[in-house]
Amino acid sequence: MPDSPAAPPRPTTVSPDVLVKARILLADDQADVLQALRLLLKAEGCEIESVTSPAGVLAAVDAREFDVALIDLNYTRDTTSGEEGLTLLSKLQQLDTPMPVVVMTAWGTVDLAVEAMRRGARDFIQKPWDNERVLAVVRTQVELGRALRRSQRLEAENKLLRDQGTAKPSLIAESVSMRPVLELIARVGPSDANVLITGENGSGKGTVAQALHAVSSRATRPLVTVNAGGLSEGLFESELFGHVKGAFTDAKTDRVGRFELAEGGTLFLDEIANISLNLQSKLLRVLETGEFERVGSSRTRRANVRIISATNADLTAEVATNRFRQDLLFRLNTIEIPLPPLRDRREDIPVLARHFLGQHAQRYRKPLAGFEPAAMQLLADHSSPGNVRELDHAVERAILMAQDDVVRARDLGLRTAKDATTRIEDMSLEEVEGFLIKKALARYDGNVSQAAKALGLSRSALYRRLQRFGL
């Protein structure tokens, strides 16, 4: 230890410093050693927690995360072998997210230092220490540890962007029925209030979620989307909360969950009505406490995210039939934004169609001047049970099929129910399936649960088909 442990150490002149608010864990069985290190590191702005035994170290790292740990190798006063510290070091390396560890001892040998490094120590400090060396070692390990965590997070974010795509649809709304939606977005978006977006499948709930995020104070942070309806119960926890290596058969590496990826930003939970009651309780806990654990880990983490959720189901009816928790609904719908179907906002069809034409024509490198009047009239008259998503799909198909410099009615591939009935024998099996799904959705005003029941399908099975048909 230093010659005058009680004397305040000379502070460094580097500012701002990486050590400011760095969380440091100190472990030694001698009070004067802990006091000297605490004074040294607190002068740099570090947040310090100190313990006096290997058991205390394990309890501390189980409760919270640290940027670096400085641990002694000897805790029994008549022992100088370093075995206690080496055993502790091995246990620390088995954590789901190992932190940088610097070992200290007054009984240092080359062999002991080599063994400590072999077991995962990042550096070795011999007592009595030099203050400047301690600060340099801790600063280096804090920077390296944070860089490794940033790298892991960046890798997960890049994968998420590849999976979800980078396209950000514009919220196009000129109709009278969309004015209340725009007003709610402007009023509620800047807050951190949880928002529930309701509306038929394909009506643009994801676009509204993007608009809410864009006008919020979290706009510079990530917007992370989870399709709750498309996740099995086994994958749900891993997707949302992450998992650690070895948590289950295919868990070959640690994985960052969506709550961690959305830290400081917004988490959009689409098709929220589809999660089981068991998973609803786990989601409720995060919303109430902000705490969660990765699958296979006992370490509690905290999440600072805004929740936007969406559904085409009547959650009040789901609560009444005990299929959805009322307390979870209260947490989700601080504000509810009902989104009208496309048939109730027909003034938006021409501008939406032209918007999609511009997008897809550029994507497929097909310069098109627009729609012939008959094509635009067909879009305006179509029932569009798939709403905006179906309109987008129809325009994309038309661009691919177009042989002239404009989109013609025949290019859209839209059929009325009368046309389809008279020609159903000429359809392929896939076309018949798509026709029946559209008919069921139209019959039940876009309610997926009722349409699935009428078709003899589970709700998740119908969702998969809706995605396949672009509805």
Side-chain angles (χ1 to χ4, degrees):
M1 74 192 74
D3 295 334
S4 303
R10 177 172 58 86
T12 61
T13 58
V14 179
S15 180
D17 196 352
V18 69
L19 294 183
V20 174
K21 293 189 177 180
R23 294 189 297 272
I24 312 295
L25 176 63
L26 306 177
D28 201 293
D29 61 345
Q30 297 183 52
D32 56 346
V33 170
L34 293 176
Q35 177 67 3
L37 287 170
R38 187 182 297 110
L39 288 170
L40 175 65
L41 294 168
K42 273 203 165 185
E44 301 298 316
C46 299
E47 298 176 2
I48 306 298
E49 184 170 339
S50 57
V51 297
T52 58
S53 67
V57 172
L58 296 175
V61 299
D62 191 50
R64 63 180 300 194
E65 289 185 337
F66 294 91
D67 289 299
V68 68
L70 273 69
I71 68 169
D72 190 30
L73 289 181
N74 299 295
Y75 295 87
T76 305
R77 288 186 181 273
D78 59 354
T79 299
T80 61
S81 66
E83 280 302 319
E84 290 173 299
L86 293 174
T87 300
L88 172 60
L89 187 56
S90 296
K91 291 180 179 179
L92 290 174
Q93 297 309 305
Q94 296 171 9
L95 295 174
D96 51 283
T97 307
M99 64 182 167
V101 178
V102 177
V103 298
M104 307 179 295
T105 183
W107 308 93
T109 66
V110 173
D111 289 343
L112 185 58
V114 169
E115 181 61 19
M117 297 297 183
R118 190 184 70 81
R119 298 202 189 188
R122 296 286 185 84
D123 213 326
F124 188 98
I125 294 174
Q126 188 169 359
K127 303 174 186 177
W129 61 76
D130 175 75
N131 282 348
E132 293 300 329
R133 169 164 164 71
V134 171
L135 291 176
V137 168
V138 172
R139 185 179 292 112
T140 297
Q141 296 309 321
V142 168
E143 287 179 324
L144 287 174
R146 289 177 177 173
L148 287 172
R149 288 193 294 274
R150 284 195 300 268
S151 176
Q152 183 188 41
R153 182 186 177 99
L154 184 61
E155 182 180 353
E157 287 178 346
N158 287 339
K159 182 179 184 304
L160 184 67
L161 287 173
R162 289 194 299 270
D163 292 344
Q164 293 185 175
T166 57
K168 295 186 177 181
S170 302
L171 180 59
I172 296 172
E174 298 181 359
S175 61
V176 174
S177 61
M178 283 294 289
R179 287 178 188 169
V181 174
L182 298 177
E183 290 173 2
L184 280 172
I185 291 173
R187 191 178 309 168
V188 178
S191 74
D192 274 348
N194 290 343
V195 178
L196 175 65
I197 308 168
T198 57
E200 294 179 7
N201 194 56
S203 54
K205 298 185 289 294
T207 306
V208 172
Q210 289 179 352
L212 286 165
H213 177 71
V215 298
S216 75
S217 60
R218 298 171 178 264
T220 59
R221 301 297 300 156
L223 168 64
V224 177
T225 299
V226 180
N227 182 1
L231 294 177
S232 66
E233 187 159 344
L235 288 176
F236 185 86
E237 284 188 84
S238 176
E239 284 290 329
L240 259 65
F241 309 133
H243 64 248
V244 299
K245 182 179 179 180
F248 45 86
T249 303
D250 293 329
K252 295 180 173 58
T253 60
D254 289 357
R255 178 173 182 176
V256 178
R258 302 298 175 93
F259 269 98
E260 290 180 73
L261 287 175
E263 179 65 22
T266 303
L267 184 63
F268 176 45
L269 301 174
D270 200 7
E271 308 299 354
I272 192 66
N274 285 353
I275 65 175
S276 68
L277 287 170
N278 176 49
L279 296 176
Q280 288 175 32
S281 64
K282 296 180 179 180
L283 179 58
L284 178 63
R285 181 212 169 195
V286 186
L287 298 186
E288 288 182 336
T289 67
E291 296 180 344
F292 66 96
E293 293 81 31
R294 287 183 179 179
V295 178
S297 172
S298 60
R299 177 181 293 178
T300 298
R301 301 169 186 267
R302 293 195 61 82
N304 172 24
V305 300
R306 181 194 195 179
I307 300 295
I308 298 177
S309 51
T311 182
N312 57 18
D314 183 347
L315 289 186
T316 302
E318 296 290 297
V319 169
T321 54
N322 296 318
R323 289 194 294 266
F324 201 85
R325 293 181 62 121
Q326 188 173 52
D327 46 4
L328 178 57
L329 177 58
F330 289 155
R331 286 283 176 180
L332 295 173
N333 73 337
T334 303
I335 297 293
E336 181 176 342
I337 299 181
L339 195 56
L342 189 58
R343 61 182 173 276
D344 291 342
R345 45 181 295 211
R346 292 188 180 276
E347 307 98 301
D348 290 332
I349 290 176
V351 65
L352 281 167
R354 286 190 288 269
H355 171 73
F356 294 139
L357 179 73
Q359 277 190 332
H360 296 306
Q362 181 179 16
R363 176 185 175 188
Y364 294 116
R365 299 181 179 85
K366 291 189 69 172
L368 294 169
F371 297 86
E372 69 168 358
M376 188 61 78
Q377 189 62 49
L378 181 59
L379 289 174
D381 294 341
H382 186 60
S383 62
S384 295
N387 290 295
V388 179
R389 187 180 298 140
E390 183 185 3
L391 176 62
D392 185 10
H393 180 73
V395 173
E396 182 178 10
R397 179 190 186 279
I399 289 169
L400 292 171
M401 299 301 294
Q403 297 178 336
D404 302 320
D405 60 352
V406 295
V407 171
R408 303 197 180 279
R410 65 174 181 269
D411 301 326
L412 293 168
L414 298 177
R415 293 191 182 102
T416 64
K418 180 179 178 181
D419 293 336
T421 303
T422 57
R423 295 187 295 174
I424 195 167
E425 65 275 6
D426 298 325
M427 293 184 188
S428 67
L429 184 60
E430 185 173 5
E431 288 175 327
V432 171
E433 186 179 25
F435 163 67
L436 292 175
I437 288 173
K438 289 180 182 180
K439 189 173 181 180
L441 286 170
R443 185 189 313 152
Y444 295 104
D445 293 328
N447 187 302
V448 173
S449 296
Q450 293 181 11
K453 186 176 180 181
L455 292 166
L457 298 170
S458 67
R459 195 158 52 181
S460 60
L462 181 53
Y463 277 125
R464 287 194 294 271
R465 286 166 172 78
L466 289 173
Q467 291 176 342
R468 174 153 56 91
F469 290 116
L471 299 178

